Amino acid sequence: MDTVTRPRILVVGAGFAGVECVRRLERKLAPDEADVTLVTPSSYQLYLPLLPQVASGVLTPQSIALSLRRSTKYRTRIIPGRAIGVDLKSKVCVVRTITDKIVNERYDYIVLTPGSVTRTFDIPGLTEHAVGMKTLAEAAYIRDHVISQLDLADAGDNPAERAARLQFVVVGGGYAGTETAACLQKLTHAAVCRYPRLDPGLIKWHLIDIAPMLMPELGDKLGRSAQEILNRRGIDVSLGVSIDKAGAEEVTFTDGRVVPTRTLIWTAGVVASPLIGTLGAETDRGRLVVTPEMTVPGEDGAFALGDSAAVPDLAKGDGAVCPPTAQHAMRQGRRVAENLISTLRGRPLRPYVHKDLGLVVDLGGKDAVSKPLGVELRGVPAQAVARGYHWSALRTNVAKTRVMTNWLLNAVAGDDFVRTGFQAGKPARLKDFEYTDSYLTPEQVRSRVEGEAVERP
């Protein structure tokens, strides 16, 4: 009887926000106060900021995938699947499990943290020929793909094909794109001596962005410093430029240039998860509108936070919303957990307020630019701050040990240029990793919920 009457809390998503919320609920709630369930396709929390270092081989994939099942003291029930629709009125979440079975999960309180997906545009050939940098599988795939291009160029005899395989295009001058281009360029630069038939001058990295400067959040000086570092390494940075069309063997820029290439990496921003579109609720530029307490207006027992929610940034004011960063997501997760507990115990909710602590950008090796607490840093000091921040933000001691060991080993021994087999099958692209076509429409969600209600006695 106790199990039936306990409130059911459903958390959707195991990113920074979702995991922080679950962990706080587990620590602060007594076992008989509520049942906590987490819906996630993978039973790990991915430390997204370090994905470029996985792609470049500095870190192993396992080191930034923090297991949710490692500790025996956690009591959250995990549903291995993807939420594909939510009916806020009926309090039902539709879940597609990893076995492709669709089930309805009922709840009393829901915490929506589905995160974001790669933002794409209606550019011919983009989704068919580009790959993103948003998932662990994409990072591992990109590493295999880049190394395979070096292998094939070294083995081939066609000069035009060899030149095309040694040109790499990264679209997006934000943190993900800049760090991806910088880290992978270090990988290919270090690999040249292992491929005696390759001309180092043929290896060319292009970083393009439609914005007038790299990483504008860093400010003019640090943005220019980052661009100077990339230019010094031989990376061609083109601003005010995007992709006009993409093909299997070449990419056309909006300035008319045609670049023969077999590698197009797309990191031009993110948008809220398509799950938000199934709710039928108010959105702001695709993100779910929420109150400062991160409740969904007019919906009982619904909270939303992280990349998919337009959480008001009270520290900035003037109608600003919090940017989709790990820093905000982690702190929002803790605040939502506290507010949910307050709801259960009949206490007032508290708004989310957090002043941004700064930004860090790791460009590989000794190169970095950082702005902790408004202080501009470059070079080794910036690198120490960047890696120190990431290391401290890792949730478990096991992950911290693995990451630190990987950093030290890579600094001493370098890279092995090993392909792990992700290239064994057919080429994979943007549409193959994020499953953005698997979500229901609001009408389909309502039809399914109403159909279940009719079937139930």
Side-chain angles (χ1 to χ4, degrees), residues 64-79:
I64 68 167
L66 287 65
S67 174
L68 300 178
R69 299 186 186 273
R70 188 171 186 86
S71 175
T72 58
K73 67 181 180 181
Y74 297 130
R75 63 180 189 272
T76 297
R77 170 190 170 219
I78 297 178
I79 299 178

Side-chain angles (χ1 to χ4, degrees), residues 219-270:
D220 291 341
K221 292 182 179 179
L222 284 185
R224 285 197 299 270
S225 294
Q227 186 171 345
E228 289 170 3
I229 291 171
L230 299 182
N231 289 335
R232 190 167 64 244
R233 290 195 196 166
I235 299 176
D236 179 24
V237 179
S238 299
L239 300 174
V241 178
S242 188
I243 296 294
D244 185 55
K245 61 181 178 179
E249 299 183 357
E250 66 180 28
V251 173
T252 303
F253 294 174
T254 52
D255 62 4
R257 283 181 291 164
V258 178
V259 177
T261 182
R262 303 291 197 276
T263 307
L264 174 59
I265 302 173
W266 179 267
T267 66
V270 296

Side-chain angles (χ1 to χ4, degrees), residues 19-263:
V19 170
E20 287 295 325
C21 179
V22 166
R23 294 304 184 231
R24 182 61 61 96
L25 289 172
E26 289 175 327
R27 286 193 293 269
K28 295 295 186 73
L29 281 177
D32 60 350
E33 280 192 273
D35 291 326
V36 182
T37 301
L38 176 65
V39 177
T40 174
S42 305
S43 57
Y44 62 80
Q45 177 195 0
L46 178 63
Y47 192 82
L48 270 170
L50 292 178
L51 269 184
Q53 295 192 36
V54 171
S56 63
V58 173
L59 299 176
T60 61
Q62 187 182 10
S63 64
I64 68 167
L66 287 65
S67 174
L68 300 178
R69 299 186 186 273
R70 188 171 186 86
S71 175
T72 58
K73 67 181 180 181
Y74 297 130
R75 63 180 189 272
T76 297
R77 170 190 170 219
I78 297 178
I79 299 178
R82 187 182 307 274
I84 59 174
V86 177
D87 188 328
L88 294 174
K89 302 299 181 185
S90 300
K91 294 191 174 183
V92 174
C93 178
V94 183
V95 179
R96 187 189 301 275
T97 69
I98 57 175
T99 59
D100 211 31
K101 180 181 179 181
I102 299 180
V103 298
N104 288 0
E105 188 68 23
R106 296 187 173 273
Y107 63 85
D108 297 300
Y109 300 93
I110 189 168
V111 179
L112 294 164
T113 68
S116 56
V117 297
T118 302
R119 178 181 62 182
T120 58
F121 300 97
D122 189 20
I123 298 174
L126 176 63
T127 57
E128 293 81 12
H129 302 292
V131 64
M133 181 61 78
K134 197 74 174 62
T135 67
L136 196 60
E138 283 175 314
Y141 176 86
I142 287 173
R143 173 173 167 78
D144 271 15
H145 173 80
V146 169
I147 295 175
S148 73
Q149 298 311 299
L150 299 177
D151 288 341
L152 291 168
D154 182 67
D157 295 319
N158 185 317
E161 180 181 341
R162 174 178 291 179
R165 293 194 182 280
L166 296 179
Q167 291 212 70
F168 307 90
V169 178
V170 179
V171 183
Y175 303 109
T178 302
E179 290 186 337
T180 296
C183 290
L184 286 172
Q185 186 274 336
K186 293 280 288 186
L187 172 70
T188 55
H189 177 76
V192 171
C193 63
R194 311 293 178 91
Y195 293 88
R197 299 182 70 238
L198 293 185
D199 177 3
L202 291 178
I203 299 178
K204 188 71 173 180
W205 282 87
H206 302 266
L207 175 61
I208 69 173
D209 193 273
I210 197 65
M213 65 180 295
L214 291 181
M215 300 174 291
E217 298 87 349
L218 285 174
D220 291 341
K221 292 182 179 179
L222 284 185
R224 285 197 299 270
S225 294
Q227 186 171 345
E228 289 170 3
I229 291 171
L230 299 182
N231 289 335
R232 190 167 64 244
R233 290 195 196 166
I235 299 176
D236 179 24
V237 179
S238 299
L239 300 174
V241 178
S242 188
I243 296 294
D244 185 55
K245 61 181 178 179
E249 299 183 357
E250 66 180 28
V251 173
T252 303
F253 294 174
T254 52
D255 62 4
R257 283 181 291 164
V258 178
V259 177
T261 182
R262 303 291 197 276
T263 307

Side-chain angles (χ1 to χ4, degrees), residues 211-445:
M213 65 180 295
L214 291 181
M215 300 174 291
E217 298 87 349
L218 285 174
D220 291 341
K221 292 182 179 179
L222 284 185
R224 285 197 299 270
S225 294
Q227 186 171 345
E228 289 170 3
I229 291 171
L230 299 182
N231 289 335
R232 190 167 64 244
R233 290 195 196 166
I235 299 176
D236 179 24
V237 179
S238 299
L239 300 174
V241 178
S242 188
I243 296 294
D244 185 55
K245 61 181 178 179
E249 299 183 357
E250 66 180 28
V251 173
T252 303
F253 294 174
T254 52
D255 62 4
R257 283 181 291 164
V258 178
V259 177
T261 182
R262 303 291 197 276
T263 307
L264 174 59
I265 302 173
W266 179 267
T267 66
V270 296
V271 294
S273 165
L275 179 67
I276 300 303
T278 74
L279 306 178
E282 183 184 358
T283 59
D284 177 8
R285 297 182 182 180
R287 301 171 74 184
L288 188 62
V289 171
V290 296
T291 67
E293 294 77 19
M294 290 171 286
T295 60
V296 180
E299 304 295 346
D300 178 51
F303 296 80
L305 60 156
D307 292 6
S308 286
V311 179
D313 192 342
L314 300 184
K316 288 185 178 179
D318 297 325
V321 297
C322 297
T325 64
Q327 184 180 148
H328 279 291
M330 293 169 68
R331 288 164 175 79
Q332 288 169 9
R334 297 168 197 156
R335 173 56 57 209
V336 161
E338 297 287 354
N339 282 344
L340 224 172
I341 293 170
S342 295
T343 300
L344 292 173
R345 298 175 181 173
R347 299 172 181 171
L349 308 188
R350 295 174 57 190
Y352 171 74
V353 182
H354 170 66
K355 186 176 181 180
D356 203 309
L357 298 178
L359 305 164
V360 295
V361 182
D362 189 336
L363 300 175
K366 298 179 181 179
D367 294 325
V369 290
S370 300
K371 196 175 183 180
L373 301 174
V375 179
E376 296 185 351
L377 300 174
R378 299 167 180 79
V380 175
Q383 182 66 282
V385 169
R387 294 203 169 182
Y389 173 79
H390 290 314
W391 186 82
S392 63
L394 291 166
R395 186 172 48 81
T396 68
N397 290 330
V398 172
K400 290 179 179 180
T401 301
R402 284 177 175 155
V403 167
M404 183 60 72
T405 302
N406 285 173
W407 279 338
L408 293 173
L409 186 61
N410 183 264
V412 173
D415 198 273
D416 292 325
F417 312 107
V418 173
R419 285 187 286 122
T420 55
F422 282 89
Q423 276 285 97
K426 67 174 184 178
R429 292 298 181 258
L430 275 171
K431 59 182 181 179
D432 299 316
F433 289 103
E434 298 189 50
Y435 306 101
T436 52
D437 57 351
S438 66
Y439 295 85
L440 304 179
T441 65
E443 293 74 24
Q444 289 173 323
V445 174

